[in-house]
Amino acid sequence: MELRRALELRRALERRLTTANRRRHDGRIRLTGRHWTALTGFAVTAVLVAGGLGLPSGPSVRVDPSRVAAARQHLAALAVVAERPPHEQAYQRSAFGPAWSDDAGVADSGNACDTRNDILRRDLTVTDSVAIATCATAVAAGRLRSPYTGREIVFTRGRESAAVQIDHVVPLAYAWDMGARDWPAPQRLAFANDPANLLAVDGPSNQAKSDLEPGRWMPELEGFRCQYAIAFVTVAAGYRLPVDSRSHRVLAAALGRC
């Protein structure tokens, strides 16, 4: 069942390549076909890990060497700054638009379901759905094996729903500090809701990571660090974000162990 979900996800992402390329003219999507090819493999691996088919601990899940090579090329092409600039205390999440907007001009936008539920449905093994104001098929219950820890979580909508949270692989505050402050508002909205930059994970990992860059935080599950590095590098390249030198070294090391 999980393998079928992964293959379906791969086909869906591949169909989005042409969509992403068509939308480049308005500045809201910057991912090229090469970026999406790398992220297709990342998303499939994330589903396999979340569904329990990947290794919950130990060595990395095997990654297509062509994706690793592409990510290394992206990393080599990224602008590198000595360190992350001091974070602006005046920064607010609202700078990236309404949370989980279905009108962000990215993959799955306009499907009458908010971004959070799009990602929950993509990454969880869903056992029940419910209609809510922002999504007719919102996830009501399911299971997730967090790619950051390898531990399984039972998700139930309601008081315990924070057990599963949606992480921005490239944190919004980090993107802001590295140049997103100068982007037009539609581009920031797209970045915050781009499925390529989103992953369902366990709540404690998401809270521990906060807005930290790879130089200061990487997933606890060492077997997922290669995939995490691929996603981070590909998104940063797609949105033309620089990376701090410490993170550059950490990402290079992670890709070197793929």
Side-chain angles (χ1 to χ4, degrees), residues 197-239:
N197 193 34
L198 298 172
L199 195 60
V201 303
D202 63 290
S205 289
N206 191 44
Q207 296 302 311
K209 175 186 174 181
S210 185
D211 68 345
L212 298 180
E213 63 275 15
R216 294 190 289 166
W217 188 94
M218 287 290 279
E220 173 186 335
L221 183 61
E222 292 186 8
F224 191 70
R225 290 181 181 179
C226 169
Q227 294 92 316
Y228 184 83
I230 289 173
F232 193 101
V233 167
T234 306
V235 170
Y239 284 87

Side-chain angles (χ1 to χ4, degrees), residues 32-52:
T32 66
R34 288 181 63 205
H35 298 138
W36 272 107
T37 298
L39 285 165
T40 295
F42 163 74
V44 170
T45 303
V47 169
L48 293 178
V49 172

Side-chain angles (χ1 to χ4, degrees), residues 54-257:
L55 298 178
S57 61
S60 301
V61 175
R62 178 172 172 76
V63 181
D64 184 343
S66 65
R67 295 200 299 112
V68 178
R72 289 172 179 166
Q73 290 178 356
H74 290 320
L75 181 62
L78 288 180
V80 180
V81 298
E83 59 184 20
R84 177 178 179 174
H87 185 58
E88 293 183 4
Q89 296 302 313
Y91 162 78
Q92 295 186 6
R93 166 62 177 82
S94 58
F96 286 83
W100 311 131
S101 172
D102 188 39
D103 188 28
V106 294
D108 286 336
S109 287
N111 67 353
C113 192
D114 62 273
T115 304
R116 173 177 165 78
N117 276 287
D118 284 338
I119 302 303
L120 289 175
R121 189 167 57 246
R122 184 194 72 184
D123 291 355
L124 272 64
T125 300
V126 179
T127 57
D128 192 19
S129 299
V130 64
I132 62 174
T134 58
C135 183
T137 56
V139 176
R143 293 183 296 105
L144 171 74
R145 188 172 298 279
S146 175
Y148 288 172
T149 66
R151 292 187 283 273
E152 186 174 90
I153 305 163
V154 176
F155 172 84
T156 304
R157 179 171 294 278
R159 290 184 178 181
E160 305 301 322
S161 62
V164 173
Q165 299 180 13
I166 309 301
D167 179 47
H168 289 89
V169 175
V170 180
L172 300 185
Y174 179 74
W176 177 269
D177 294 343
M178 302 301 280
R181 65 166 66 87
D182 298 322
W183 292 352
Q187 188 173 350
R188 289 199 295 268
L189 180 66
F191 182 83
N193 291 276
D194 194 332
N197 193 34
L198 298 172
L199 195 60
V201 303
D202 63 290
S205 289
N206 191 44
Q207 296 302 311
K209 175 186 174 181
S210 185
D211 68 345
L212 298 180
E213 63 275 15
R216 294 190 289 166
W217 188 94
M218 287 290 279
E220 173 186 335
L221 183 61
E222 292 186 8
F224 191 70
R225 290 181 181 179
C226 169
Q227 294 92 316
Y228 184 83
I230 289 173
F232 193 101
V233 167
T234 306
V235 170
Y239 284 87
R240 299 180 183 177
L241 284 169
V243 66
D244 64 282
S245 60
R246 183 177 176 182
S247 293
H248 188 278
R249 291 193 299 271
V250 170
L251 291 165
L255 292 174
R257 290 190 293 269

